[in-house]
Amino acid sequence: MAAGGALKALPALLLLLAAGALGKPTVRQERARPGAAQHEDRPGFQYDHEAFLGKEEARSFDQLSPEESRERLGKIVDRIDDNKDGYITTEELKTWIKRVQKRYIYENVAKVWKDYDLNKDDKIAWEEYKQATYGYYLENPEEFQDATDQHSFKKMLPRDERRFKAADLDGDSAATREEFTAFLHPEEFEHMKNIVVLETLEDIDKNEDGFVDQDEYIADMFANEEGGPEPDWVITEREQFSDFRDLNKDGKMDKDEIQHWILPQDYDHALAEARHLVHESDVDKDQKLTKEEVLDNWNMFVGSQATNYGEDLTRNHDEL
């Protein structure tokens, strides 16, 4: 779960979708977590599938037979081969992955826009978002007697407002599509990085001292509920914390160290994933892939019914 070691799949922000103006909210993931996912955190090749296809398309492939998945992958390979020389280079793969990432983000915003733009003025005011997301909770507090639910909603409302204000560059309390994209996917925008770091700190810093110590760092990814010995990967993560996270060796991470962890400046996630896919599939070690090499290692790039972990989402696969 170390930040710098692998591509983050796209922003993992789960939305509080409303059934209507006073839709009953559901608890979402609390923060965007760029760079925090490792390949080993996901079942099988799920991480690679999502990076290569995008989350929704990856789920759709999981409903196909292996034969159908390979056939569709072959069509995608033809699209990635930009210069039509019969080879897929690392650069071509990187360009493809960046395109998939960007498409996912803007499709995600377009999909939920109507749920929040209640007056249809092509902007989303903070009050509209608050009403659509928290309206039910605010008007029916008696239905939220569970202490965990109460804490979640009381915590998320001011936090969302803070993030909304940071995304609202012109300060008019209404988000354009670009501003709302920054609100939903802050890890993709330079001016939102401080918010991403702050939210990460607030979530992991359980003793609220303004820092993340090693135990808090580990607790964010592993709960030793049985009280037994820690697995080897946790021991490795403790070493990672000491060697690479705690840069000033004071036993804890401050905001600058957290930013270095989750938003490393010189780390290109798409390039890292492209290099990973080429390395794992390049049988003849010529630093590029033929279509045959990709198809021979097809289950690293795409899923099928044999590796089904998602729900069926209807999409036109040929859009890729």
Side-chain angles (χ1 to χ4, degrees), residues 2-137:
L7 165 73
K8 166 70 172 108
L10 309 188
L13 188 66
L14 302 180
L15 302 177
L16 284 162
L17 295 179
L22 289 179
K24 197 168 185 177
T26 56
V27 179
R28 65 172 179 179
Q29 179 172 325
E30 293 188 344
R31 71 180 186 272
R33 301 183 64 173
Q38 291 277 29
H39 285 82
E40 60 266 24
D41 288 339
R42 310 282 185 88
F45 298 121
Q46 180 182 350
Y47 182 90
D48 299 301
H49 298 168
E50 291 180 1
F52 183 72
L53 296 169
K55 284 189 176 182
E56 291 194 9
E57 192 70 9
R59 293 190 186 104
S60 295
F61 264 74
D62 290 337
Q63 309 307 315
L64 303 176
S65 69
E67 293 74 22
E68 289 173 314
S69 286
R70 291 182 84 257
E71 179 183 355
R72 292 190 186 279
L73 175 59
K75 294 178 181 178
I76 293 174
V77 170
D78 293 338
R79 294 289 303 277
I80 297 174
D81 182 14
D82 194 50
N83 62 5
K84 307 304 178 187
D85 67 349
Y87 295 97
I88 301 298
T89 65
T90 299
E91 187 65 25
E92 286 173 327
L93 255 182
K94 182 189 78 170
T95 300
W96 171 263
I97 291 169
K98 283 183 178 291
R99 175 186 167 190
V100 166
Q101 176 177 349
K102 187 173 182 179
R103 184 190 65 191
Y104 165 77
I105 290 170
Y106 285 97
E107 283 184 354
N108 173 243
V109 172
K111 183 186 302 182
V112 303
W113 184 265
K114 65 180 183 299
D115 293 304
Y116 299 113
D117 183 15
L118 302 180
N119 65 3
K120 310 304 178 188
D121 66 348
D122 208 35
K123 283 189 172 185
I124 295 174
W126 164 248
E127 289 300 322
E128 287 180 304
Y129 177 83
K130 183 173 74 171
Q131 178 75 355
T133 305
Y134 298 101
Y136 190 93
Y137 166 71

Side-chain angles (χ1 to χ4, degrees), residues 193-194 197-198 201 210-212 244-248 250 252-265:
K193 286 186 176 180
N194 287 341
V197 171
L198 183 57
L201 172 61
F211 299 93
V212 172
F244 302 108
R245 308 287 175 249
D246 178 18
L247 299 177
N248 63 7
D250 65 351
K252 55 193 176 184
M253 285 194 290
D254 57 24
K255 288 181 182 178
D256 289 339
E257 289 167 322
I258 291 171
Q259 180 164 335
H260 186 269
W261 167 40
I262 63 173
L263 297 168
Q265 286 187 338

Side-chain angles (χ1 to χ4, degrees), residues 16 24-28 30 133-134 136-138 140-158:
L16 284 162
K24 197 168 185 177
T26 56
V27 179
R28 65 172 179 179
E30 293 188 344
T133 305
Y134 298 101
Y136 190 93
Y137 166 71
L138 294 172
N140 301 275
E142 70 281 355
E143 292 195 25
F144 295 85
Q145 297 303 315
D146 181 79
T148 301
D149 284 346
Q150 287 183 355
H151 175 76
S152 294
F153 290 117
K154 286 180 180 178
K155 176 182 177 182
M156 290 309 301
L157 178 54

Side-chain angles (χ1 to χ4, degrees), residues 17 21 28 39 42 46 50 54 93 115 120 135 163 171 183 201-202 222 240 249 258 279 282 290 292 297 310 313:
L17 295 179
R28 65 172 179 179
H39 285 82
R42 310 282 185 88
Q46 180 182 350
E50 291 180 1
L93 255 182
D115 293 304
K120 310 304 178 188
R163 186 193 284 194
F183 171 70
L201 172 61
E202 290 173 344
F222 174 70
Q240 288 281 315
K249 309 305 176 187
I258 291 171
H279 175 76
D282 182 19
T290 63
E292 181 180 4
N297 198 26
L313 298 176

Side-chain angles (χ1 to χ4, degrees), residues 181-208:
T181 302
F183 171 70
L184 292 184
H185 298 276
E187 69 287 341
E188 299 298 322
F189 292 81
E190 186 68 29
H191 67 280
M192 298 295 289
K193 286 186 176 180
N194 287 341
I195 287 290
V196 176
V197 171
L198 183 57
E199 291 182 2
T200 302
L201 172 61
E202 290 173 344
D203 284 341
I204 305 179
D205 177 23
K206 299 306 182 185
N207 65 9
E208 299 182 353

